[in-house]
Amino acid sequence: MLVPVFTLKLNHRINPRMVTVGKYDGTHPCLTAATQAGKVFIHNPHTRRQRFAPNQLLQGGLDSDTSLLNINQSVSCLTAGILNSRDGHDTLLVGTQTNLLAYDVHNNSDVFYKEVADGANAIVLGQLGEITSPLAIIGGNCTLQGFDQEGNDLFWTVTGDNVRSLALCDFDGDGKKELLAGSEDFDIRVFKEDEIIAEIAETETITALCHMHGSRFGYALANGTVGVYDRATRYWRIKSKNHAMSIHAFDLNSDGVCELITGWSNGKIDARSDRTGEVIFKDNFTNSVAGIVEEDYRMDGQTQLICCSIEGEVRGYLPASREMKGNLMDTNAEQDLIRELSQRKQNLLLELRNYEENSKVALSALGGEGDGQIGIIPANTQLQTGLSVNIGTANQSPHVELNISTSNDTIIRAVLIFAEGIFDGESHVVHPSAHSLSGQILVPIIPPKDIPVDLHIKAFVGYRNSMQFHVFELTRQLPRFSMYAQRTPGTASELQSYVTFTVSERVQRVVMWMNQNFLVPEDIDCPSMPLEVCFTSLRDGGRLSIKMETNGEVTVRTEDIDLAGELIQSMASFLAIEDLQVEADFPAYFEELRQILVQVDDYHSVHQKLTAEMADHSNLVRSLMIRAEDARLMGDMRSMKKGYMELYDLNRDLINGYKIRSNNHTELLSCLRAVNQAIQRAGRLRVGKPKTQVIAACRDAIKNSNVNALFKIIRAGSTLS
């Protein structure tokens, strides 16, 4: 059994997912974590009583190993690492909802302090792509920003939603690191610098990402799921009723391959094989795990896995020795073998009991009536499935209908469907009552997002009087745009919003894409040009038209800019289009965006005014305090009372002003998020280089407060910027 080689008890509560280790003098590793009181503690057991300026770090007692850095704001993320390769020591990076601090702990000085309007929810430090200097990359309100050692903003792009996790990984195997970003819209996006090269859809918010080796990485979701991907292929995943608080890659069993170490909200720590997800080690804290890191903390030449709980308990584990290799649990090989054989014995006994019961039923039903009870069905029985669009009724909303039926007079006793992101708990069971059994079951499905989904179906098939049933298993894919019903053309020209682009493909290829991605009653033919196909959304009744001319010009008409982007990305992927420029116009959405930009300016003005007022009030507080104390020392109780009453009123005004500032800041963040999402949507209307250029040009237009240029860029691309 693997046991801790050291245990510490730090007298500080630790914020979850905010633990790191840094060598701030270049030699001695220091455990660093954020506390719940707006401070960061640095545990340095190697050099006692370092001198720090009192306004920055508050040192403990004479023999204390722990120093406190006052941030005076709630810390939202932190990390440590080499930011300037010439320094030879690590830099501490602390993110809040308004600022990013790069701090030189050894020299007690700020490296830089930057305001970040979109906040910092996650942070990672390292080299990205071909950018030569290390970057501190933060993920915030739909944005990603990267700063170098001087605080220069060398990297900026937008993503689909609030970023919750970041990691650097050589995703495509070219020897350069790509950025993995997990967000609240359940997507893992892979950025090759500012270009998205892959998107992986998950079922919940991605709360943690970690690079394992090569192109392999681990992930954790808010619903208790952890797993491993190799590029876009998922190797395995497991789901727990507890939440994964931290994940880390570490070779715990000394087999040369990193395992996925997970710290859970119930205090459990487990190590799982990166290939199978099998648990090879586990241990327990009395409280929730806060973070997991690795470092040679004892400075004896051996790297330890360091696990921290939210109550400040720290344990360090050494990798297994050769004698323990492959046997980290508190068991031995003989016990595992006995357990496995006992389980196999139980399964065989259960199977034998079933055979005996079948024989009894067969003997008591010599007239042949017992076939159904035994569960025997015709050898040619097949399970058939069909997908169709149901426009709904007064009592049922529009949906996709899954039709499951048998090919003869057998009945379906129950159906289990497993599908990611559609059903609560990712599974759905249909179990008809005994008097309504039939050979057909209709299952309504309402996908919340336009993504292709595999439906894994298991059906119990037999006869009405059967005691045992045959299990049929099959998989059916739900097309990406299954929530759109085909309709006859006629009113599409009334739609004012559209996207136009040209493809050098035959119309047959576009028709093939439609047949694969939409649920149509019968395959769309290739009529004489132009081709026009119209659909209605089952979600909101919105109209969609796709038209292709003889010269390859494609026009997509819809009021939904998100749908237009999804259609273009899907078509470009199917037709293998690397670069695609478009012309787009969404008058209603542009007017909404124009109003949001006006609100952003108003909120910025209010913020500056409130900040100035607060500064004036702060100076007045100082003056009133001095006057009131002078009056007290002089025995002028009336003046003292008057001064303190004024001070009380001023303090109340300051509190009210803070509430107004807080509400103003919340509204400002909401508007900035909408602006960042607009840039993301403008990018998704393009593919390849035009996409990257549009995002960069939109940002420049917003920086320069050039609203007209922004809308021109969204309409026609970056050529008009």
Side-chain angles (χ1 to χ4, degrees):
M1 181 181 177
L2 207 61
V3 295
V5 292
F6 70 82
T7 302
L8 303 171
K9 184 62 179 176
L10 307 176
N11 296 319
H12 297 280
R13 287 181 61 86
I14 300 175
N15 287 352
R17 304 185 180 94
M18 298 185 198
V19 179
T20 187
V21 172
K23 295 181 179 179
Y24 303 119
D25 61 357
T27 305
H28 303 96
C30 302
L31 185 66
T32 308
T35 71
Q36 296 179 343
K39 295 181 174 64
V40 172
F41 77 76
I42 301 170
H43 179 255
N44 182 6
H46 309 290
T47 56
R48 302 262 178 166
R49 193 57 177 167
Q50 288 191 355
R51 296 284 181 182
F52 296 108
N55 64 331
Q56 284 287 341
L57 282 167
L58 304 177
Q59 181 68 37
L62 288 173
D63 296 326
S64 174
D65 295 335
T66 303
S67 306
L68 289 175
L69 172 62
N70 282 317
I71 304 299
N72 297 323
Q73 291 186 65
S74 178
V75 178
S76 53
C77 59
L78 88 165
T79 191
I82 298 291
L83 186 60
N84 188 344
S85 54
R86 296 189 299 272
D87 288 346
H89 61 76
D90 290 345
T91 300
L92 175 63
L93 293 146
V94 182
T96 70
Q97 287 305 312
T98 55
N99 305 99
L100 174 64
L101 168 66
Y103 188 70
D104 184 341
V105 175
H106 184 64
N107 296 312
N108 188 30
S109 62
D110 291 353
V111 179
F112 65 78
Y113 183 78
K114 301 289 290 187
E115 284 196 14
V116 284
D118 296 308
N121 300 327
I123 188 168
V124 67
L125 176 59
Q127 285 193 301
L128 173 63
E130 296 182 356
I131 301 174
T132 54
S133 60
L135 295 180
I137 303 172
I138 59 171
N141 191 8
C142 304
T143 60
L144 298 166
Q145 287 180 273
F147 300 92
D148 66 4
Q149 69 271 14
E150 297 176 355
N152 298 319
D153 187 355
L154 298 187
F155 170 73
W156 185 93
T157 190
V158 291
T159 186
D161 209 332
N162 288 338
V163 179
R164 287 297 169 197
S165 52
L166 294 172
L168 290 167
C169 169
D170 184 9
F171 185 83
D172 57 4
D174 64 349
K176 301 180 180 66
K177 294 288 183 69
E178 283 75 44
L179 177 65
L180 308 178
S183 53
E184 291 181 354
D185 61 356
F186 308 169
D187 280 351
I188 301 172
R189 294 179 176 87
V190 184
F191 290 85
K192 194 175 185 65
E193 294 188 19
D194 51 5
E195 178 187 354
I196 296 179
I197 61 172
E199 291 185 72
I200 304 170
E202 269 298 334
T203 58
E204 251 293 353
T205 298
I206 294 89
T207 55
L209 292 166
C210 75
H211 176 227
M212 301 195 69
H213 59 86
S215 57
R216 197 169 299 181
F217 63 92
Y219 73 97
L221 306 182
N223 62 3
T225 299
V226 296
V228 168
Y229 275 97
D230 192 343
R231 298 191 180 179
T233 303
R234 184 165 56 207
Y235 270 31
W236 58 267
R237 64 168 181 159
I238 62 99
K239 189 173 181 181
S240 169
K241 64 181 180 180
N242 301 300
H243 299 293
M245 308 305 293
S246 179
I247 58 174
H248 190 77
F250 187 77
D251 183 12
L252 198 60
N253 61 356
S254 301
D255 65 348
V257 179
C258 288
E259 287 74 48
L260 183 66
I261 317 296
T262 308
W264 298 89
S265 57
N266 65 345
K268 185 177 73 171
I269 293 173
D270 59 39
R272 295 177 181 271
S273 165
D274 72 318
R275 304 174 189 86
T276 64
E278 176 190 0
V279 177
I280 63 169
F281 168 74
K282 59 184 177 182
D283 200 357
N284 284 283
F285 281 86
T286 54
N287 302 102
S288 171
V289 175
I292 302 173
V293 292
E294 65 175 90
E295 187 54 77
D296 179 10
Y297 210 58
R298 300 191 302 177
M299 300 189 69
D300 59 0
Q302 301 181 86
T303 301
Q304 299 99 40
L305 178 72
I306 303 171
C307 304
C308 309
S309 78
I310 61 172
E311 294 296 330
E313 183 182 357
V314 181
R315 298 179 191 172
Y317 300 87
L318 277 175
S321 61
R322 289 190 175 184
E323 294 76 18
M324 291 182 63
K325 182 178 176 181
N327 185 30
L328 306 185
M329 307 285 278
D330 190 14
T331 58
N332 54 47
E334 289 79 7
Q335 289 176 328
D336 289 339
L337 184 59
I338 291 172
R339 189 179 297 110
E340 182 183 348
L341 291 173
S342 297
Q343 184 63 47
R344 194 180 302 176
K345 176 184 175 182
Q346 292 295 326
N347 293 338
L348 290 171
L349 287 172
L350 181 61
E351 188 175 349
L352 180 60
R353 192 176 301 118
N354 285 336
Y355 283 129
E356 291 174 348
E357 290 179 0
N358 285 343
S359 299
K360 292 177 181 178
V361 172
L363 290 174
S364 64
L366 295 176
E369 297 289 333
D371 284 355
Q373 293 180 350
I374 299 173
I376 298 174
I377 62 174
N380 61 352
T381 303
Q382 293 181 344
L383 191 68
Q384 300 166 340
T385 62
L387 288 167
S388 60
V389 173
N390 189 320
I391 60 174
T393 62
N395 300 322
Q396 192 173 31
S397 59
H399 58 270
V400 176
E401 196 165 74
L402 173 63
N403 186 339
I404 306 172
S405 60
T406 60
S407 58
N408 48 36
D409 60 345
T410 53
I411 57 97
I412 302 175
R413 190 66 187 89
V415 171
L416 288 79
I417 305 174
F418 301 90
E420 294 184 28
I422 294 182
F423 307 114
D424 292 337
E426 301 183 16
S427 62
H428 181 66
V429 179
V430 181
H431 197 283
S433 58
H435 65 272
S436 60
L437 294 174
S438 69
Q440 182 184 46
I441 288 181
L442 302 178
V443 183
I445 298 174
I446 305 178
K449 298 170 68 176
D450 292 329
I451 54 174
V453 178
D454 286 332
L455 305 174
H456 302 282
I457 303 167
K458 295 184 179 182
F460 297 175
V461 177
Y463 288 98
R464 287 183 178 275
N465 58 345
S466 294
M467 302 298 294
Q468 296 175 351
F469 296 88
H470 288 259
V471 179
F472 284 76
E473 297 187 28
L474 54 88
T475 300
R476 181 73 185 264
Q477 188 177 70
L478 194 65
R480 182 169 187 168
F481 302 105
S482 56
M483 287 292 285
Y484 297 87
Q486 188 179 1
R487 62 180 176 83
T488 56
T491 58
S493 58
E494 299 175 6
L495 294 171
Q496 296 180 340
S497 302
Y498 67 88
V499 179
T500 301
F501 55 93
T502 302
V503 295
S504 55
E505 288 283 353
R506 294 176 292 112
V507 67
Q508 288 84 355
R509 292 269 292 157
V510 176
V511 167
M512 191 182 301
W513 166 77
M514 289 186 191
N515 288 329
Q516 287 191 13
N517 286 274
F518 289 87
L519 276 180
V520 290
E522 54 187 33
D523 285 352
I524 301 169
D525 296 326
C526 297
S528 57
M529 300 296 283
L531 166 71
E532 183 173 10
V533 184
C534 298
F535 300 90
T536 300
S537 171
L538 301 184
R539 296 189 181 96
D540 57 11
R543 291 171 295 167
L544 166 66
S545 167
I546 303 173
K547 186 176 182 180
M548 184 174 182
E549 303 286 352
T550 53
N551 61 355
E553 183 181 85
V554 179
T555 302
V556 177
R557 291 186 177 274
T558 175
E559 298 293 344
D560 188 346
I561 190 172
D562 288 312
L563 173 59
E566 293 294 334
L567 288 165
I568 289 171
Q569 296 299 318
S570 174
M571 187 183 297
S573 176
F574 183 84
L575 300 177
I577 299 173
E578 294 183 358
D579 296 309
L580 181 66
Q581 179 61 282
V582 308
E583 288 186 13
D585 192 18
F586 292 85
Y589 180 71
F590 288 170
E591 182 58 32
E592 180 185 334
L593 179 59
R594 192 182 296 274
Q595 296 298 324
I596 290 172
L597 290 170
V598 171
Q599 290 178 4
V600 169
D601 289 339
D602 292 343
Y603 287 134
H604 274 304
S605 299
V606 171
H607 175 75
Q608 292 173 355
K609 181 181 177 181
L610 291 172
T611 302
E613 289 179 356
M614 187 178 71
D616 293 341
H617 285 168
S618 298
N619 292 329
L620 191 54
V621 164
R622 191 180 300 111
S623 174
L624 287 172
M625 280 289 294
I626 293 172
R627 283 164 48 191
E629 283 300 296
D630 286 347
R632 183 181 65 82
L633 292 173
M634 294 171 63
D636 186 354
M637 294 298 109
R638 178 177 295 178
S639 298
M640 182 194 76
K641 183 177 180 181
K642 180 182 177 182
Y644 276 117
M645 287 298 293
E646 290 180 12
L647 192 62
Y648 174 81
D649 293 337
L650 188 59
N651 182 63
R652 185 179 57 198
D653 292 342
L654 276 170
I655 293 173
N656 292 333
Y658 170 77
K659 292 178 180 177
I660 295 172
R661 282 188 70 208
S662 178
N663 293 333
N664 181 78
H665 181 69
T666 302
E667 295 295 331
L668 177 61
L669 282 181
S670 177
C671 289
L672 289 175
R673 177 182 180 184
V675 172
N676 291 330
Q677 287 179 331
I679 299 175
Q680 164 77 359
R681 287 162 176 156
R684 285 193 67 80
L685 295 176
R686 282 92 182 170
V687 178
K689 290 182 180 178
K691 176 179 182 177
T692 305
Q693 292 167 355
V694 160
I695 290 174
C698 284
R699 189 201 184 194
D700 291 340
I702 290 175
K703 270 187 170 181
N704 298 325
S705 300
N706 194 338
V707 177
N708 291 330
L710 174 66
F711 290 115
K712 287 181 180 179
I713 293 163
I714 297 176
R715 285 190 180 98
S718 61
T719 54
L720 295 180
S721 62

